[in-house]
Amino acid sequence: MTLPGAPFVGWRGDALHLEDCDLQALAREHGTPLYAYSRSAMRSALAAYEQALAGRPHLVCYAMKANSSLAVLQTFAQAGAGFDIVSGGELARVLAVGVEGSRIVFSGVGKTRAEMRRALQAGVRCFNIESEPELRVLAEVARDLGVRAPVSLRVNPDVDAGTHPYISTGLRDNKFGIAHERALAVYREAASLPSLQVVGIDCHIGSQITETSPYLDALDRVLDLVEALARDGIALQHLDVGGGLGITYRDEQPPAAGDLVRQVLQRLDARGHGALELLLEPGRSLVGNAGVLLTEVLYLKPGAEAGTAGQGKNFCIVDAAMNDLMRPAMYEAWMGIVPCRRRHEPAATWDVVGPVCESGDWLGRDRELAVQPGDVLAVLSAGAYGMTMASNYNTRGRAAEVMVEGDRQWLIREREDVKSLFAGERLID
Ligand SMILES: *Cc1c(COP(=O)(O)O)cnc(C)c1O
């Protein structure tokens, strides 16, 4: 069976590889838990978008909250991507790798005045505005700086992206965006404020979307607005359809990025908007299947036989936990787990759990695995919303990260040392 992440993740004999690197060897060299990413997989995922957009005015803005390690940003910056940021911290990161403001769009419902100032000073390409009060605050901040802020309104198209409620963002009751029926009035206000410049329109309907139709529905709703605005004399330069394209974790079959883009372009053309610059904000689909989390099996704790005293389940206790990889605990997400060395022994059914003191601390439930203590396991599809959601819960330092390409590898983030976790703390009298 092909693994998620193939062809960059795959077996060579009984040894699991990421590109040409033996994952068990990487784990032994750098220790565990360890994130490992394939640079070729990231480049190839971006190229799928870029090829479908070739010859059209466009900017693919990598939604960096999916994975914001500097070397990952550098990889996309070198490949010509733009960036979608959601905080001043992300702005600082992306500027640190030399990205120009003109390639940055700033999303998020709660931008502070300080963040707006820094983004204006950096000359970001666009603020994706999510509420009327935010629009007014940005107008003030820009006026005080003596600049014009480029804005796009994030419209909530009220479509169901058919995904998990926590990662669905385009429904009426979500906190995101401006209601479709308010949008026209808010655009009029924006156009009337001298310190703002209306440049675009955007939407982002959710994450891990596995069908094309919600995108096309949202696009139609947004194009209705583009047309209404044009009748009002407000011409837009770009349309941003957001991110959210899903990946295969298990057996999902999301559309290929190129197919999605082609259908979006077709719809734009069919409605006479082929000249609008198209922006996209993919996160997960650029990095999710490019990464794995490596973890060592610490202990096996077999369950009691049915009808006898003791826990009924088999627990495989590993050294990675919910603080390293939140997705299973937070969304009950299923992620593939495979040993880095295939054992030709009978498998058993294990719950793969971490050392954190929470019952929610699991990485996989009811997994058929042939494992022994000391084995290294790979949690697949861990390149997105893995390291960026990591915490220090239980005073655990965050994992190290390596990037590989072919048979080369670079340590891109050192393992976080425990002393640094309390270095900023003070005792009291
Ligand atoms: C999170 C986010 C994205 C990226 O979503 P993915 O599902 O990772 O592609 C894009 N745009 C905005 C505004 C976001 O908040």
Side-chain angles (χ1 to χ4, degrees):
M1 206 194 84
T2 53
L3 297 171
F8 304 99
V9 178
W11 294 104
R12 307 244 172 119
D14 287 332
L16 190 67
H17 280 65
L18 184 63
E19 300 202 35
D20 299 326
C21 293
D22 178 336
L23 284 170
Q24 173 155 307
L26 270 187
R28 299 284 184 238
E29 179 175 347
H30 298 286
T32 50
L34 176 72
Y35 277 100
Y37 310 119
S38 153
R39 185 147 71 156
S40 305
M42 292 182 187
R43 288 190 173 142
S44 136
L46 177 64
Y49 282 94
E50 290 288 347
Q51 278 158 17
L53 289 158
R56 304 286 295 236
H58 73 274
L59 187 63
V60 178
C61 296
Y62 167 52
M64 62 179 278
K65 71 176 191 286
N67 187 327
S68 57
S69 298
L70 294 181
V72 172
L73 303 180
Q74 182 190 23
T75 297
F76 288 117
Q78 284 169 352
F83 293 85
D84 173 50
I85 64 168
V86 293
S87 72
E90 289 194 347
L91 176 64
R93 267 186 186 276
V94 77
L95 293 176
V97 299
V99 173
E100 286 179 15
S102 62
R103 308 186 75 77
I104 301 171
V105 299
F106 192 174
S107 302
V109 291
K111 304 176 194 77
T112 65
R113 283 169 192 265
E115 288 175 321
M116 289 174 181
R117 263 192 298 277
R118 271 180 277 148
L120 285 168
Q121 283 157 349
V124 298
R125 182 196 162 107
C126 183
F127 289 84
N128 290 343
I129 297 295
E130 303 221 16
S131 68
E132 298 170 52
E134 182 198 352
L135 183 79
R136 292 175 200 133
V137 167
L138 178 63
E140 274 174 37
V141 172
R143 186 198 58 207
D144 293 348
L145 281 178
V147 297
R148 281 184 96 188
V151 297
S152 157
L153 299 193
R154 175 171 177 181
V155 175
N156 186 329
D158 196 20
V159 300
D160 186 354
T163 186
H164 188 285
Y166 283 12
I167 51 179
S168 187
T169 57
L171 279 165
R172 232 190 131 71
D173 289 344
N174 295 134
K175 70 177 175 182
F176 300 100
I178 293 169
H180 193 267
E181 54 274 25
R182 285 291 303 152
L184 217 46
V186 183
Y187 265 109
R188 286 193 190 118
E189 179 177 357
S192 75
L193 293 167
S195 60
L196 298 181
Q197 186 188 7
V198 173
V199 295
I201 189 163
D202 66 286
C203 66
H204 171 69
I205 54 175
S207 200
Q208 186 53 17
I209 300 168
T210 53
E211 291 166 307
T212 308
S213 56
Y215 282 101
L216 297 178
D217 293 348
L219 179 61
D220 272 330
R221 303 270 288 154
V222 171
L223 285 176
D224 292 344
L225 275 173
V226 172
E227 289 163 8
L229 289 167
R231 287 194 291 273
D232 247 30
I234 300 174
L236 304 179
Q237 295 154 32
H238 79 243
L239 185 155
D240 178 345
V241 293
L245 180 61
I247 62 171
T248 302
Y249 287 100
R250 189 175 193 174
D251 49 14
E252 305 89 332
Q253 296 184 318
D259 290 337
L260 172 64
V261 168
R262 275 184 287 274
Q263 292 197 47
V264 166
L265 290 173
Q266 259 171 24
R267 186 66 59 100
L268 280 179
D269 290 345
R271 291 190 55 172
H273 296 290
L276 270 180
E277 181 173 5
L278 181 64
L279 269 58
L280 293 118
E281 302 169 352
R284 188 190 312 271
S285 57
L286 292 183
V287 290
N289 272 325
V292 300
L293 173 63
L294 303 177
T295 181
E296 187 176 306
V297 177
L298 298 175
Y299 306 108
L300 295 179
K301 202 171 157 186
E305 301 280 313
T308 67
Q311 287 152 311
K313 289 198 120 181
N314 294 325
F315 291 101
C316 170
I317 301 166
V318 298
D319 66 359
M322 64 188 286
N323 75 295
D324 301 297
L325 183 62
M326 273 284 268
R327 298 190 67 258
M330 186 154 162
Y331 311 114
E332 302 207 326
W334 193 99
M335 302 179 70
I337 300 177
V338 290
C340 291
R341 284 285 180 280
R342 247 192 302 232
R343 285 183 174 278
H344 300 276
E345 294 165 15
T349 306
W350 300 96
D351 274 15
V352 180
V353 302
V356 161
C357 305
E358 297 277 346
S359 292
D361 180 31
W362 54 276
L363 298 176
R365 287 176 170 154
D366 298 323
R367 301 306 175 88
E368 291 292 312
L369 292 167
V371 278
Q372 294 296 336
D375 285 1
V376 178
L377 304 181
V379 184
L380 305 179
S381 319
Y385 306 107
M387 190 61 177
T388 47
M389 292 176 90
S391 79
N392 296 120
Y393 190 38
N394 280 209
T395 304
R396 290 167 53 87
R398 285 176 302 165
E401 296 178 295
V402 291
M403 181 76 84
V404 313
E405 183 179 14
D407 61 3
R408 294 193 292 167
Q409 50 130 319
W410 300 264
L411 180 67
I412 61 168
R413 185 199 298 259
E414 290 174 17
R415 185 170 305 287
E416 192 170 26
D417 96 45
V418 168
K419 258 194 193 152
S420 72
L421 299 185
F422 51 86
E425 296 181 33
R426 300 285 180 273
L427 295 173
I428 54 176
D429 298 336

